[in-house]
Amino acid sequence: MKPNKKLLGKFLPGMFIMLAMLIVACGGGNSGTSSTGSKLSDDKQIYVTPYSGISDVATLDPALSTDLESIGAIDTMFTGLVQLDDSLKVYGELAEKWSTSSDGLTWTFTLRQGMKFSDGNPITADDVIFSIDRALKPELKSTVAPSYLALVKDSDKRFTGKIPTLINDSLFAPDPTTVKIVTNRKAAYFLDALTYSTSYVVEKSLIQKYGDTEYFKHLDKGGCSGPFILDKRLPGQYISFVPNANYYGPKSQIKKYIIAFYKDPQTTYKAYKTNQIDEAGVPTANLDEARAFPNKQFRQAPTLAIDYITMNYMAKPFDNIKIRQAFDLAIDKDTIAQNIWKGARIASNHVIPQGMPGYNPDLKGPAGVTSTKGDKDLAKKLFQEGLQAEGLTASTFPTINFTVATSGSQSAKNEFEFVQQQWKDTLGVTVNINDEDFNKILDDSSNTVNNPKGLQMWALDWIADYPDPQDWTSLLFGKGSSNNNFNYGLGKPTDLTTQQQIQDLMPTADANQNNAERISQYNKIEQQLVEDTAWISIDQRQSSYVLKPCVKGVVDNAQLLTPPRDWANIYKTSDSPCGNTNSYK
């Protein structure tokens, strides 16, 4: 969630931060162990999960949500018209039903009856349209709203301040339970885009009372539409949530949900082993140990997330396609996935990951190379051709600054140093690694949009915001996209015409109602993005984590986010071992 998430949309928080965001299965179930223990009393229904590598969530404002950690916290307290279920299908959350006009441009949503915010005030259509309009306020400077709300008519004018509001322009509330949204074009993915947290509903009256910033300091008093409200926010320690008594959906069995902050994955894992927390990501060095834990504590499943390295197309020398391809083909991705990450990741040349609609199993890597081991001989050849075209030699090739965020992960550090050495050995180039704070790299990446003086080369990751290939193509690389910090189709790259032609195909695919044709178009787009080395895709992530046997009702979800109603199915029992939560009472 969520590169932006987070700078770009829903970026995975930190390219290599170990996450343990678990998903509660709709309809109940268990964690893979027999439920032999008795259910604990309410005062012991305290669920502690960790975030590694950060000391606080970046934001609690849905309009500003860019990273998976922030979105995980936001999802506990706020909801939207529609959201994704555990099967990643759109369902009505605040909306009971919806319909579209004959031209496909006007969407009408009917809200559920009797819904309330956490302070007891009703959730109305006015709150819904106010929230969407607010997300686009120029003063908020949201890096995500222009992308995820781009289909709303005149959203670009609202964001740039050319018009003062979208209310009664493209957003309408004809009565308290009816919302009408007018779009600027017909798009097959409109509902999917609305599932992103940018469109979640905040309480209009409280925003007007406290202001855009202060509102989020009063979430213990009201303003929440989700299953929880804010309890405490202690940067460097934890953030906690307690059930929302006025939540309109099924109530949570967990009486306190805590996200504890840890400095690095290894510290987090040690906290799990000493029963301080209920779950944890497993560092690569500990995978074999965790796999041997009893009672099926260890879990691993593919996620819709790609780790990648990218370059600024507007900055030399990466405006040359052959140089970009050479940097890609010099990397043995198989060694990274198997030796450095010990099988916790899957080597990949893809932009669209396996498990997404539009995944192309026949995709070829840059220059037609099919292997994820790269091709060092071809890399050397392409590099020399690129140097010649740029009037450079190996000795005059500039030093490259490679910005990363290891977030305390030794495996991430090992990967970057391995890649650095591969470039040195194969291409003879010097690459300096700049390891900075994760939130800073998000800001720096966002500030690289249309900026030749922004980052030169950097590493991040992207997790699906919604299960549609548009989220991996047009949203990131499309013409005018605020997420296009790679500057694809901009500047004066040697293959500019080809890039712009593929950008022209993106809106056609976005609007195509023939699904087979649409997927074929996205396959063509992705293949060209890979050929252009829009990203140097490295691997597809798997979620590798451990979960205490006492925690029931948890299943894996490829998107790493919890549908709000699923909290009703998670609870703790007396099964041992279990996290010691006494310090959080």
Side-chain angles (χ1 to χ4, degrees), residues 117 119 121-122 124 126-127 130 202-211 215 223:
F117 286 106
D119 57 8
N121 291 328
T124 69
D126 278 337
D127 292 297
F130 170 85
V202 296
E203 189 170 358
K204 177 181 176 180
S205 61
L206 289 189
I207 290 282
Q208 292 174 334
K209 177 179 180 179
Y210 293 117
Y215 172 84

Side-chain angles (χ1 to χ4, degrees), residues 37-241:
S38 58
K39 182 179 175 181
L40 295 176
S41 58
D42 283 355
D43 64 315
K44 294 181 180 179
Q45 292 294 336
I46 303 173
Y47 185 29
V48 185
T49 65
Y51 280 170
S52 299
I54 61 173
S55 59
D56 194 9
V57 292
T59 184
L60 293 178
D61 188 343
L64 304 179
S65 54
T66 62
D67 62 284
L68 189 59
E69 283 100 337
S70 293
I71 293 171
I74 287 167
D75 275 9
T76 67
M77 298 185 293
F78 299 98
T79 52
L81 287 170
V82 291
Q83 292 188 227
L84 297 173
D85 64 16
D86 289 306
S87 300
L88 304 186
K89 296 184 184 301
V90 175
Y91 76 95
E93 180 59 36
L94 296 176
E96 183 177 44
K97 59 183 179 180
W98 55 86
S99 61
T100 57
S101 58
S102 58
D103 61 5
L105 297 179
T106 300
W107 294 72
T108 301
F109 299 86
T110 301
L111 302 185
R112 298 180 187 276
Q113 298 289 328
M115 297 185 300
K116 297 178 181 179
F117 286 106
S118 52
D119 57 8
N121 291 328
I123 299 173
T124 69
D126 278 337
D127 292 297
V128 175
I129 64 172
F130 170 85
S131 300
I132 295 174
D133 182 68
R134 172 186 174 272
L136 290 159
K137 284 177 62 174
E139 296 84 355
L140 286 184
K141 298 180 180 179
S142 173
T143 59
V144 286
S147 296
Y148 297 103
L149 299 175
L151 289 173
V152 179
K153 186 175 77 72
D154 293 333
S155 58
D156 54 340
K157 296 177 182 177
R158 173 65 167 124
F159 187 71
T160 57
K162 293 181 179 178
I163 59 175
T165 182
L166 294 180
I167 295 174
N168 296 324
D169 173 86
S170 55
L171 301 174
F172 301 89
D175 61 61
T177 61
T178 304
V179 172
K180 289 183 179 290
I181 302 177
V182 180
T183 59
N184 51 36
R185 63 184 183 274
K186 194 173 184 178
Y189 65 93
F190 178 63
L191 289 178
D192 292 278
L194 280 184
T195 67
Y196 190 74
S197 51
T198 305
S199 63
Y200 285 3
V201 177
V202 296
E203 189 170 358
K204 177 181 176 180
S205 61
L206 289 189
I207 290 282
Q208 292 174 334
K209 177 179 180 179
Y210 293 117
D212 283 319
T213 302
E214 294 299 310
Y215 172 84
F216 297 95
K217 298 178 181 179
H218 297 276
L219 295 177
D220 57 336
K221 301 179 179 67
C224 296
S225 55
F228 291 91
I229 62 173
L230 183 66
D231 176 45
K232 294 180 182 178
R233 186 180 184 182
L234 301 174
Q237 299 181 52
Y238 64 89
I239 183 170
S240 60
F241 310 88

Side-chain angles (χ1 to χ4, degrees), residues 397-411:
F397 191 79
T399 297
I400 303 300
N401 292 316
F402 180 33
T403 304
V404 305
T406 59
S407 301
S409 168
Q410 184 61 48
S411 295

Side-chain angles (χ1 to χ4, degrees), residues 314-334:
M314 297 183 75
K316 288 187 175 300
F318 296 125
D319 57 351
N320 186 291
I321 184 173
K322 291 187 177 181
I323 291 176
R324 296 196 304 270
Q325 290 177 330
F327 269 74
D328 190 321
L329 295 173
I331 301 172
D332 182 348
K333 302 170 186 178
D334 288 359

Side-chain angles (χ1 to χ4, degrees), residues 40 42 63 72 135 142 144 150 152 237 275 277 282 328 403 412 449 455 467 472 476 513 520 549 553:
L40 295 176
D42 283 355
S142 173
V144 286
V152 179
Q237 299 181 52
N275 297 325
I277 53 180
V282 181
D328 190 321
T403 304
V449 176
L455 293 178
W472 295 86
L476 297 175
Q513 301 299 304
S520 177

